[in-house]
Amino acid sequence: EPSGARWAYSFAFSILLFVCVALHELGHSFVAMRYGIKIRSITLYIFGGVASMEDIPRDPSMEARMAVAGPGVSGIIGVGCTLLSIQSAILLGGGHPLTTLLWTLGVINIVLMIFNLLPAFPMDGGRVLRAWFASRMAYVEATRRAANIGKFFAIMMFFLGLFGGGILLVVIAIFIYIAASDEERSTAIVVPLEGVKVRDIMSVDLKTVSPETPLPEIMNLMFREKHRGYPVLVDGRLAGIVTISDVQRVPEEKREKITVGEIMVKSIYVIEPNADAAEAMKKMMERQIRRLPVMDEGKLVGIVSRSDLLRAIEICSGW
Ligand code: ZN
């Protein structure tokens, strides 16, 4: 067989496989969007993929329907390709590349459907399971149970892969384990914060500094007032933020001659007072920052830090 044709076949196969995975994800996204949930990004994985939602739906039946849509699409493609491959076998012969292509795609899509329906949270089947738990108990507890079952599946897959199942299964197992832990943790953080607004937990006794402040002065300030970060104002406008770690990065002997304006972080992310506390938490986790200035119509009205959020989580999950 000429290697050119081989290449063309492999290329077409890869593209089509990618399209099938994308369609699976679009199945999820389509249902999500019909419920008005914004999709921020779709990350494609060979065994299904994860569409990252703006908000996790808290309505169990909504989540179940959304989770089932992806494997549903895979199933339809799988059956369709299999039927077409039978047609192709009749018309072109069983050994024809098109027949092989359609048959392989059909089988892979059906495997994809079955695999994604395993109750291994956060895979689709696991989401259905979580939805089922969630209709019977609190959301955080439902997630914890589903995640534990997901982790159990991951451990089984890991050993199955290790003892003959293949390296791909090991990789998937590790992925599921990490994803289950991540989602369990983020649910435990985000859910208690629901309904809490940034304005309820932000610090309003604002201590600000100017860009001309010398570093020894701001270090004294941090030491005395026990704040780790300060907004930097120029003519009443927010120009940046300076934290204890920005100061510590400057060698001690040079601090005398350097001012806040030279080391402050100018690209700042801000949040509105009416935003959800959960959103503030998400922003901080994504950008790996510890505090957000709170801006109301261009005016600095407060600052919200991770410790403010953690305190709120502690209080709210204690009810
Ligand atoms: Zn899926």
Side-chain angles (χ1 to χ4, degrees), residues 149-163:
I149 294 172
K151 286 182 198 168
F152 174 74
F153 265 88
I155 291 166
M156 295 222 302
M157 279 181 206
F158 181 84
F159 285 110
L160 214 68
L162 219 53
F163 299 111

Side-chain angles (χ1 to χ4, degrees), residues 24-25 28 48-49 70-71 116 124:
H24 171 112
E25 286 310 303
H28 291 304
N116 272 286
D124 300 330

Side-chain angles (χ1 to χ4, degrees), residues 102-276:
L102 287 167
W103 176 255
T104 316
L105 278 178
V107 170
I108 287 182
N109 273 287
I110 290 169
V111 169
L112 214 60
M113 175 190 74
I114 295 169
F115 193 73
N116 272 286
L117 283 177
L118 288 179
F121 187 83
M123 287 176 52
D124 300 330
R127 291 189 179 280
V128 177
L129 188 69
R130 196 246 308 254
W132 186 78
F133 281 138
S135 64
R136 278 155 190 80
M137 62 191 82
Y139 200 76
V140 176
E141 176 62 17
T143 305
R144 205 180 57 78
R145 287 206 187 179
N148 281 339
I149 294 172
K151 286 182 198 168
F152 174 74
F153 265 88
I155 291 166
M156 295 222 302
M157 279 181 206
F158 181 84
F159 285 110
L160 214 68
L162 219 53
F163 299 111
I167 190 72
L168 184 63
L169 199 58
V170 174
V171 173
I172 292 171
I174 294 171
F175 171 83
I176 292 177
Y177 194 93
I178 293 173
S181 315
D182 276 357
E183 188 136 349
E184 184 184 2
R185 194 174 325 120
S186 77
T187 307
I189 289 172
V190 167
V191 172
L193 285 181
E194 270 173 3
V196 178
K197 298 286 175 208
V198 167
R199 69 158 77 254
D200 303 328
I201 55 167
M202 67 184 186
S203 312
V204 286
D205 72 19
L206 268 182
K207 297 287 175 6
T208 62
V209 293
S210 82
E212 290 83 38
T213 315
L215 296 196
E217 196 174 311
I218 191 158
M219 285 179 75
N220 273 333
L221 216 57
M222 284 171 177
F223 190 69
R224 216 172 42 236
E225 296 176 343
K226 298 177 184 66
H227 287 303
R228 301 175 59 91
Y230 286 86
V232 185
L233 292 194
V234 178
D235 301 327
R237 265 188 338 104
L238 185 65
I241 197 159
V242 63
T243 64
I244 199 159
S245 41
D246 298 327
V247 178
Q248 279 164 345
R249 232 171 275 136
V250 180
E252 230 176 313
E253 64 275 11
K254 290 186 181 160
R255 285 180 195 160
E256 205 69 50
K257 294 198 167 57
I258 293 182
T259 61
V260 163
E262 294 169 72
I263 62 158
M264 67 181 183
V265 179
K266 285 173 194 151
S267 57
I268 29 180
Y269 300 100
V270 299
I271 194 143
E272 282 176 30
N274 283 326
D276 280 323

